[in-house]
Amino acid sequence: LDLIAASLNAVGDSTNAYVASGYAQGLRGMLVGRRGEFDEAVTTLRESILQSGNLSGFVAVNHQRLALAIALIEAGRDEEALQVLEAGFEGNVYIDVPGALLRGQLYERRGEREQAIRAYSRVVELWRDCDPELIPQREVAERALQRLLAEG
């Protein structure tokens, strides 16, 4: 992506070069997070979201925002993660559902039962007929939802 950005800049397409550079930054942020360097991942992902999100579609930015929320959770910054997750993911169900699952877990951890129930219900509803590889995430939400509803 950095090479693409440089090539685009060389031919005078600075707008697309800027976006490509933002996507490259986003990938770097995701990789840093996978290495366990969560504070650095948060900084890098925030920069990339600002850069690539301003001028582009939402597909890659949604992935970057979910990665940011995960890095924030891993860094112990649950409140900031909830803010990112509550902003939504522009209708991308493959990002929205994992985001809803994380929201449910964070709300449950905070003792906000009703919010957790809403988030878990969204996962169950959206992935009622999901692909087989996604069933484990739905089952996590179903078990959590059953537990919370049983607590009454």
Side-chain angles (χ1 to χ4, degrees):
L1 286 170
D2 284 331
L3 290 174
I4 291 170
S7 296
L8 290 167
N9 260 332
V11 297
D13 190 354
S14 60
T15 300
N16 285 323
Y18 184 77
V19 172
S21 178
Y23 288 159
Q25 185 77 344
L27 289 174
R28 278 191 286 280
M30 289 181 204
L31 291 172
V32 169
R34 295 224 175 172
R35 286 196 315 251
E37 299 168 21
F38 301 114
D39 289 327
E40 183 179 341
V42 167
T43 300
T44 303
L45 286 163
R46 281 201 166 128
E47 291 170 3
S48 73
I49 290 166
L50 286 173
Q51 184 171 350
S52 56
N54 285 334
L55 299 170
S56 66
F58 295 103
V59 175
V61 175
N62 282 329
H63 290 279
Q64 292 171 14
R65 290 182 58 242
L66 182 62
L68 172 60
I70 292 168
L72 286 164
I73 292 167
E74 293 293 339
R77 295 160 64 178
D78 291 358
E79 187 62 36
E80 290 174 76
L82 265 175
Q83 290 173 1
V84 171
L85 294 168
E86 285 295 339
F89 294 100
E90 300 300 326
N92 184 330
V93 71
Y94 291 103
I95 301 297
D96 187 31
V97 173
L101 183 58
L102 288 173
R103 277 195 324 272
Q105 292 166 336
L106 289 172
Y107 281 127
E108 187 174 2
R109 206 181 318 182
R110 291 166 49 142
E112 296 181 34
R113 185 177 168 278
E114 292 302 318
Q115 292 281 51
I117 288 171
R118 275 195 284 278
Y120 289 137
S121 294
R122 180 157 176 80
V123 173
V124 172
E125 174 189 331
L126 289 176
W127 279 7
R128 184 172 321 280
D129 298 315
C130 65
D131 294 335
E133 66 270 12
L134 304 175
I135 290 173
Q137 288 184 34
R138 186 193 68 214
E139 290 173 340
V140 167
E142 288 171 335
R143 285 190 300 273
L145 187 57
Q146 289 169 355
R147 182 181 62 253
L148 288 171
L149 291 173
E151 291 172 1

